[in-house]
């Protein structure tokens, strides 16, 4: 039996810079263009999303705020990708930092749950120079468990 879902109009825009994307966008329904993405937003941006969620009764809330960041929808075919002011192609996003635009389209409701319909509409991947974890050996540094370097003793 299919779930009956209704939609309540809501609006909001959140534009954030230097957002870390820990995982590649994924779909539970195979490899289609409509996927979920997790974004590590700044605390004030997470507070804005929590404020949007405050419109929903707490006992019904299916939150988009997770331990890894804020979960949003992304359509891999229609997301606008930028390189400065110029449109660009979408690169792999895992372990990337980017500027993003999130749009609150509304609130979805089922019989027992409700949640935000939050879409990533624009993304500008930032070039991040990744360093080999073995580079620290050549420089006489030790790589810590958190990925930072410290001078050897």
């Amino acid at each position: 039996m299919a779930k009956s879902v209704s939609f309540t109009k809501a609006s909001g825009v959140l534009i954030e810079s230097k957002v870390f994307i820990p995982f590649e966008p994924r779909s539970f329904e195979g490899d289609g263009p409509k996927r979920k993405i997790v974004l590590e937003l700044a605390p004030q941006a997470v507070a804005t999303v929590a404020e949007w969620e405050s419109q929903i009764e707490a006992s019904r809330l299916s939150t988009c705020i997770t331990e890894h960041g804020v979960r949003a929808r992304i359509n891999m075919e229609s997301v606008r990708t930028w390189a400065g002011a110029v449109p660009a192609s979408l690169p792999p996003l895992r372990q990337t930092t980017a500027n993003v635009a999130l749009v609150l389209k509304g609130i979805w409701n089922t019989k027992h749950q409700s949640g935000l319909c939050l879409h990533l509409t624009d993304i500008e991947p930032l070039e991040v120079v990744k360093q080999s974890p073995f580079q620290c050996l050549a420089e006489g540094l030790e790589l810590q468990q958190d990925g930072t370097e410290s001078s050897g003793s």
Side-chain angles (χ1 to χ4, degrees):
M1 184 175 192
K3 285 185 180 179
S4 175
V5 179
S6 65
F7 187 78
T8 306
K9 195 93 168 128
S11 63
V13 176
L14 189 59
I15 298 176
E16 285 293 307
S17 62
K18 298 180 182 172
V19 172
F20 183 67
I21 303 168
F23 315 110
E24 193 67 31
R26 64 187 190 124
S27 172
F28 290 113
E29 300 169 357
D31 200 25
K34 295 180 180 179
R35 301 181 186 181
K36 301 277 188 191
I37 188 166
V38 175
L39 307 166
E40 287 186 9
L41 299 176
Q44 63 271 26
V46 174
T48 299
V49 173
E51 183 180 319
W52 291 343
E53 285 186 337
S54 70
Q55 304 172 56
I56 301 169
E57 183 181 329
S59 64
R60 296 181 48 83
L61 177 63
S62 176
T63 186
C64 62
I65 301 171
T66 72
E67 64 182 281
H68 299 291
V70 172
R71 190 174 49 242
R73 293 176 183 246
I74 181 173
N75 186 323
M76 304 298 281
E77 294 176 348
S78 64
V79 64
R80 291 180 296 258
T81 307
W82 302 95
V86 180
S89 59
L90 187 64
L93 295 174
R94 181 176 180 264
Q95 300 289 310
T96 302
T97 301
N99 298 331
V100 300
L102 291 169
V103 176
L104 173 63
K105 301 268 186 162
I107 299 172
W108 58 265
N109 303 286
T110 64
K111 185 175 181 181
H112 299 288
Q113 293 184 315
S114 298
L116 297 181
C117 198
L118 194 59
H119 290 256
L120 188 142
T121 58
D122 293 82
I123 185 165
E124 179 183 32
L126 303 174
E127 192 167 329
V128 177
V129 178
K130 294 185 180 180
Q131 184 176 351
S132 163
F134 307 107
Q135 183 67 30
C136 61
L137 297 175
E139 297 172 2
L141 302 173
E142 293 178 6
L143 190 62
Q144 302 298 308
Q145 192 170 11
D146 66 0
T148 60
E149 297 173 354
S150 69
S151 58
S153 16

